[in-house]
Amino acid sequence: MEHVQLVGLAIIVSILIGVPLGVYLTTNEYLAESVLQIFSIIMTIPSIALFGVMIPILSTIGQGIGFLPAFIALVLYSQLPIIRNTYTGINEVDPNIRDAAKGLGMTTLQRLIKVEIPNAMPLIMAGVRTATVLNIGVGAIAAYIGAGGLGSLINQGISRSNTTMVLVGAVVVSILAIVVDQLLRYFEKRFTPKGI
Amino acid sequence: MKTKKRIAWIVKILFWLIVITFFTWTIMNDMFRPIVEDFGEFTHLLGQHIIIVFISGLLAILISIPLGILVTRKSFQKSEFWIVNMANLGQTIPSLAVLALAMGFLGIGMKAAIVALFIYSLLPILQNTIAGIRSVDKNTIDAARGIGLTPFQILIKIELPNAASSIIAGIRTALVINIGTAALAYLIGGGGLGAWIFTGIRLFDNAFLISGAVPVTLLAILVDYFFKIMQQVLVPKGLRLAKK
Amino acid sequence: MLEFKNVSKIYNGNKKAVDHVNFNVDEGELVVLLGPSGCGKTTLLRMVNQLESITEGDIHLNNKSVKESNKIEMRRKIGYVIQSNGLFPNMTIEKNVMIVPDLLGWDRKKQLDRFNYLMELIGLHPDEYRKRYPHELSGGQQQRVGVARALAADPPVMLMDEPFGALDPIIRTKIQDEFLQIQKEIKKTILFVSHDIDEAVKMGDKIALFRDGQLQQYNHPFEILHRPANEFVSEFVGQDRVLKSTSLYSVKDLVDSVSLTGYQKAGSVQTVQEDTSLRIVISKLLNQEAEQLAVEDTKGKIKGILTLDLVEKFLYKQIKETPKRTG
Ligand SMILES: Nc1ncnc2c1ncn2[C@@H]1O[C@H](COP(=O)(O)OP(=O)(O)O)[C@@H](O)[C@H]1O
Ligand SMILES: [Mg+2]
């Protein structure tokens, strides 16, 4: 299904960008402030307006309509929740735990992989969940710029004045969002290291 | 330390350079032409947009804050759990779906759009009102009861000032989402600046796209910024100190 | 003044938190509710100002049942201090302290005078702290302000639930001393919850000792220490109870009861004031700081020499000769 593909791909890419970036930001709080500020401004841009801004830009390389603008928009929107939660999650690891890890002679990288990321995992997962649910919604709107997906059902229903089609589209998208949300909440609990 | 600050500055400057480049590019290509040429239509659409947001937002504020207060009263403790969960669930539903559902039940027009936006705005404000009131330290409330404040006095003097920041944050979230969703209202015949954006998409007309999208974006950022300031201004000083 | 009549509390039909408790508190008395954690002290206290309902029995305040009083009005006449101070973070210190007088409609001038008086009383400069917020104060200062707030409308009765429990030992001792001084001046009827026998002995005119919601013994600290009513009480007060009881006495008590050894002006001798606690005297004598101490009265005149033997003689006399006192 186009919708799931679009959202899934965007989330994977977002995680690949956002988590390392979030980790890196913990080494420079000034940069963290700037980056988080920038992404929260981007987050404020309404999705249809972001499409509206991106289409003219991307049309200069012949990709104005379709998958690419939708994909870029989804990745941009995902950055704030993922980066912020990674950054906060790692920053909030108990300093005592970090000290203990240092005391055991772990290198910075070992500490990150063995101690900090596992402890920040619940928050990172929550960020990914927020981003995913958001993307399902934005993905539906992306149908209007030719990215396909469940939004097309609503789109066509409206233009044909077919109420049933509109309702089916709306309900299916909602159920998709709710199910994914619940599923990710479940994983969040499952993958939280015992004892946190 | 210095290099860290410098990197942060460079990133910021780069971002603003991109923004400036974008605006220069749009202006050079005459992309704000529709606003200039048909200013009357522009103000009409902007007016519609603001009215949709204002009415639905105001209704949402007027209903969800009292509702949040009510739900956190002792006698409603059981319903609180359900309401919080429903608010959570409701916010998972995509905005386009909410609009589509409203159209399915109420037909086409501004009214359906307002109803949809009203319901959608209700949830974050309600959620934040409840969370804000619940975040007040239990011992503080206990002390207040113990020295003889009435439940109403506790609400006015303790709970609401302490929840103010959270409630305003809820309003801020709701309105920003609301402005974006109002841009979709055009789809169900609700008017607003979405009209130009969708026309632009349909006709592959960059000028209409930009003339619709940029004002909507600026409106959202402006409102967001305004409430960010309000959040700082309206929070009692003692609480700002407490956060540090 | 305050009468507990067969008071019981059962939470949600479960175990009894307070079990048929009977005792009276006289006006101006500071009674410590003492016992291990979970024995029902807080519950009993909170039934007085009706923050908890009374399941069975009744509590009378000035011969009137608290159940029948208007809760809000009654609470404004009862000071309430809790462990975590419960100051309102959104209000200045002045607003916090003056909240009850404000609700009672006192005029500005009266409030101002009262605020200044209370702040002086608790040892904080009124003008310096007036516009500050709770989070700008240290834990000890916050707790003092909590006491001032409870005293604001000059309530005849105070309820204090482990008011100094969250403070570190040095500050706690200091505030305890200060509060005893304040109590000498204000003479309130006070219920004071504690789980610390030392604090109870130091603060209480009387101690009510509880176990599993039941009152084990209600009497003067001296009686609790020297004539424990049962196994539980004697275990709770500890094997060093005689040592604990020494904080009940000052040097003056000793001087009044046994005669000091004569004082010769030979060599240098450490001196102690007459109002020093006997506990400190013993500590000094045992600490090899001195084998004997010269007792000095308020005018700086030496009254005689104090030794460990004399302290022992005094304590023996107290335990054997004091007539049995009842609560
Ligand atoms: N609100 C409540 N609901 C149910 N049980 C309670 C409640 N408050 C206290 N209890 C129980 O009542 C007993 C006495 O508690 P409390 O009065 O707080 O003891 P203390 O102050 O002596 O530590 C405890 O077993 C406690 O668990
Ligand atoms: Mg207690």
Side-chain angles (χ1 to χ4, degrees):
Chain A
M1 216 161 54
E2 277 170 317
H3 204 111
V4 176
Q5 257 174 22
L6 172 67
V7 172
L9 202 61
I11 283 295
I12 291 170
V13 172
S14 302
I15 293 173
L16 290 178
I17 300 172
V19 174
L21 192 53
V23 171
Y24 174 69
L25 289 182
T26 56
T27 63
N28 183 346
E29 54 180 311
Y30 304 102
L31 183 63
E33 203 192 313
S34 307
V35 170
L36 290 176
Q37 238 171 36
I38 290 169
F39 279 111
S40 49
I41 292 176
I42 292 177
M43 192 75 157
T44 321
I45 304 176
S47 48
I48 192 68
L50 186 59
F51 293 142
V53 168
M54 254 176 343
I55 292 169
I57 299 172
L58 290 175
S59 60
T60 57
I61 55 164
Q63 294 279 354
I65 288 280
F67 175 80
L68 194 63
F71 177 76
I72 294 178
L74 261 52
V75 172
L76 282 178
Y77 283 134
S78 306
Q79 292 311 304
L80 185 67
I82 295 179
I83 294 176
R84 185 173 51 197
N85 282 28
T86 306
Y87 175 75
T88 328
I90 288 183
N91 261 350
E92 279 180 359
V93 171
D94 185 349
N96 291 323
I97 297 179
R98 196 171 291 149
D99 258 11
K102 270 188 208 165
L104 291 173
M106 289 187 177
T107 63
T108 311
L109 189 68
Q110 285 170 334
R111 229 162 48 221
L112 190 66
I113 293 173
K114 291 208 160 79
V115 179
E116 290 171 344
I117 291 191
N119 274 284
M121 210 50 190
L123 257 184
I124 298 177
M125 294 279 281
V128 170
R129 174 168 53 80
T130 310
T132 312
V133 170
L134 189 76
N135 278 357
I136 292 174
V138 178
I141 298 168
Y144 284 90
I145 59 163
L150 289 167
S152 322
L153 217 58
I154 298 174
N155 184 3
Q156 285 166 24
I158 292 176
S159 56
R160 290 181 206 162
S161 311
N162 183 339
T163 311
T164 322
M165 208 164 160
V166 173
L167 287 180
V168 169
V171 169
V172 173
V173 165
S174 306
I175 289 178
L176 179 66
I178 290 171
V179 167
V180 168
D181 182 56
Q182 294 301 322
L183 211 65
L184 289 179
R185 271 176 207 273
Y186 172 75
F187 281 127
E188 227 169 286
K189 280 204 191 110
R190 267 297 292 276
F191 287 116
T192 301
K194 284 220 177 80
I196 296 188
Chain B
M1 189 62 98
K2 256 199 174 149
T3 34
K4 281 184 180 176
K5 266 187 186 166
R6 206 168 289 154
I7 296 172
W9 268 109
I10 292 172
V11 169
K12 244 187 196 167
I13 291 169
L14 272 177
F15 173 74
W16 287 111
L17 272 180
I18 293 173
V19 173
I20 292 168
T21 313
F22 169 77
F23 274 98
T24 323
W25 178 67
T26 49
I27 291 168
M28 296 237 298
N29 285 286
D30 212 9
M31 287 187 190
F32 290 105
R33 194 182 57 241
I35 299 183
V36 182
E37 282 180 358
D38 201 349
F39 193 69
E41 175 69 5
F42 173 72
T43 46
H44 173 66
L45 291 177
L46 182 65
Q48 275 185 332
H49 206 108
I50 290 175
I51 284 179
I52 298 174
V53 171
F54 183 78
I55 295 181
S56 60
L58 191 67
L59 281 177
I61 292 170
L62 290 180
I63 301 228
S64 55
I65 295 178
L67 192 60
I69 291 170
L70 191 72
V71 167
T72 46
R73 296 312 94 184
K74 220 175 168 186
S75 35
F76 286 90
Q77 248 164 11
K78 282 199 184 105
S79 65
E80 182 180 336
F81 174 80
W82 293 106
I83 292 199
V84 168
N85 274 303
M86 262 168 53
N88 269 331
L89 200 72
Q91 286 175 94
T92 331
I93 298 175
S95 53
L96 182 64
V98 175
L99 278 172
L101 288 170
M103 189 196 111
F105 291 110
L106 299 169
I108 274 179
M110 203 186 220
K111 231 194 273 169
I114 289 178
V115 170
L117 287 184
F118 157 72
I119 294 174
Y120 210 46
S121 308
L122 209 61
L123 304 178
I125 307 176
L126 181 64
Q127 195 178 35
N128 278 39
T129 305
I130 294 175
I133 290 177
R134 279 285 165 249
S135 73
V136 181
D137 184 12
K138 258 179 60 205
N139 288 311
T140 308
I141 303 285
D142 188 64
R145 289 179 63 209
I147 60 177
L149 269 71
T150 62
F152 183 71
Q153 285 163 342
I154 293 178
L155 177 68
I156 298 293
K157 288 182 188 272
I158 318 286
E159 288 179 314
L160 287 183
N162 280 279
S165 168
S166 175
I167 295 175
I168 297 167
I171 296 175
R172 182 177 161 193
T173 309
L175 287 186
V176 169
I177 294 176
N178 202 334
I179 289 169
T181 311
L184 304 174
Y186 165 76
L187 295 174
I188 63 165
L193 284 167
W196 277 3
I197 302 177
F198 286 104
T199 308
I201 292 173
R202 202 158 9 98
L203 304 177
F204 294 101
D205 187 331
N206 288 343
F208 271 111
L209 269 174
I210 293 294
S211 298
V214 170
V216 170
T217 302
L218 291 181
L219 190 63
I221 290 176
L222 210 72
V223 167
D224 185 54
Y225 191 70
F226 173 75
F227 278 95
K228 187 178 168 182
I229 304 273
M230 293 304 276
Q231 228 172 320
Q232 285 160 8
V233 173
L234 289 182
V235 174
K237 184 172 170 227
L239 293 176
R240 264 176 277 147
L241 291 166
K243 279 226 177 88
K244 278 186 204 159
Chain C
M1 177 94 195
L2 196 54
E3 296 157 86
F4 293 84
K5 302 185 172 197
N6 229 5
V7 179
S8 295
K9 174 75 187 184
I10 303 170
Y11 284 113
N12 327 315
N14 280 335
K15 198 192 83 176
K16 274 192 175 171
V18 172
D19 196 357
H20 295 98
V21 167
N22 284 292
F23 68 97
N24 296 340
V25 180
D26 290 334
E27 192 166 343
E29 243 178 10
L30 193 160
V31 171
V32 177
L33 308 181
L34 180 66
S37 165
C39 71
K41 309 176 295 282
T42 297
T43 304
L44 189 65
L45 193 79
R46 290 164 62 87
M47 283 192 285
V48 175
N49 62 359
Q50 289 289 285
L51 286 173
E52 298 288 355
S53 62
I54 300 171
T55 312
E56 206 190 311
D58 203 353
I59 300 173
H60 280 202
L61 179 60
N62 289 325
N63 299 318
K64 193 176 170 203
S65 163
V66 294
K67 288 188 204 163
E68 284 150 24
S69 307
N70 176 320
K71 279 184 198 168
I72 302 294
E73 269 175 34
M74 180 181 70
R75 285 174 190 161
R76 288 178 188 173
K77 290 181 200 135
I78 301 179
Y80 184 52
V81 187
I82 57 177
Q83 181 173 28
S84 61
N85 77 61
L87 296 179
F88 308 137
N90 53 317
M91 296 183 190
T92 60
I93 299 304
E94 186 178 25
K95 285 253 166 63
N96 262 289
V97 173
M98 285 295 115
I99 184 144
V100 176
D102 197 39
L103 293 173
L104 293 173
W106 288 20
D107 64 44
R108 182 82 196 116
K109 173 82 176 68
K110 197 173 165 198
Q111 281 192 36
L112 210 66
D113 291 345
R114 184 70 184 160
F115 177 74
N116 291 343
Y117 166 78
L118 287 168
M119 292 299 276
E120 299 285 357
L121 192 67
I122 59 166
L124 295 176
H125 195 276
D127 291 326
E128 191 178 327
Y129 289 93
R130 188 185 308 280
K131 292 283 168 259
R132 292 219 202 162
Y133 287 90
H135 280 273
E136 294 174 296
L137 270 56
S138 72
Q141 289 171 335
Q142 290 180 10
Q143 213 54 43
R144 287 188 181 91
V145 173
V147 171
R149 182 174 68 181
L151 288 170
D154 207 11
V157 181
M158 299 252 284
L159 307 176
M160 309 178 80
D161 194 350
E162 311 211 15
F164 312 134
L167 305 174
D168 60 64
I170 295 175
I171 311 238
R172 190 190 314 150
T173 308
K174 190 156 173 282
I175 294 201
Q176 285 168 346
D177 292 337
E178 284 172 12
F179 186 73
L180 281 176
Q181 281 304 314
I182 293 174
Q183 167 65 354
K184 263 189 201 160
E185 181 172 339
I186 59 181
K187 283 275 167 239
K188 300 287 179 199
T189 308
I190 300 175
L191 281 184
F192 186 112
V193 170
S194 177
H195 61 255
D196 175 7
I197 173 79
D198 289 312
E199 183 175 54
V201 169
K202 179 173 175 183
M203 306 297 289
D205 296 319
K206 283 188 190 148
I207 294 174
L209 186 56
F210 292 88
R211 175 199 198 181
D212 296 337
Q214 291 173 342
L215 182 59
Q216 302 295 308
Q217 190 170 3
Y218 177 54
N219 215 321
H220 300 274
F222 181 88
E223 294 294 325
I224 300 259
L225 288 172
H226 292 293
R227 298 189 182 93
N230 59 36
E231 193 72 9
F232 173 78
V233 178
S234 92
E235 220 167 88
F236 191 85
V237 298
Q239 293 184 327
D240 57 345
R241 55 200 168 92
V242 175
L243 207 53
K244 278 173 182 144
S245 73
T246 55
S247 62
L248 289 170
Y249 304 107
S250 66
V251 173
K252 180 141 195 333
D253 297 325
L254 183 142
V255 172
D256 292 346
S257 161
V258 298
S259 47
L260 295 173
T261 314
Y263 171 65
Q264 291 114 28
K265 280 195 177 133
S268 62
V269 193
Q270 267 205 44
T271 55
V272 285
Q273 309 307 126
E274 267 196 318
D275 60 356
T276 310
S277 155
L278 212 52
R279 191 164 179 159
I280 290 170
V281 167
I282 294 176
S283 172
K284 282 193 175 193
L285 288 171
L286 290 176
N287 211 8
Q288 320 258 293
E289 277 179 41
E291 277 180 12
Q292 47 185 31
L293 294 164
V295 177
E296 208 178 66
D297 67 12
T298 43
K299 288 167 200 135
K301 199 177 144 254
I302 306 283
K303 292 183 96 171
I305 293 290
L306 183 57
T307 60
L308 263 183
D309 287 349
L310 279 176
V311 174
E312 197 182 342
K313 194 169 151 195
F314 168 71
L315 285 175
Y316 185 79
K317 235 175 126 179
Q318 290 302 315
I319 296 164
K320 292 296 169 216
E321 291 174 15
T322 327
K324 228 179 162 152
R325 286 186 290 188
T326 45

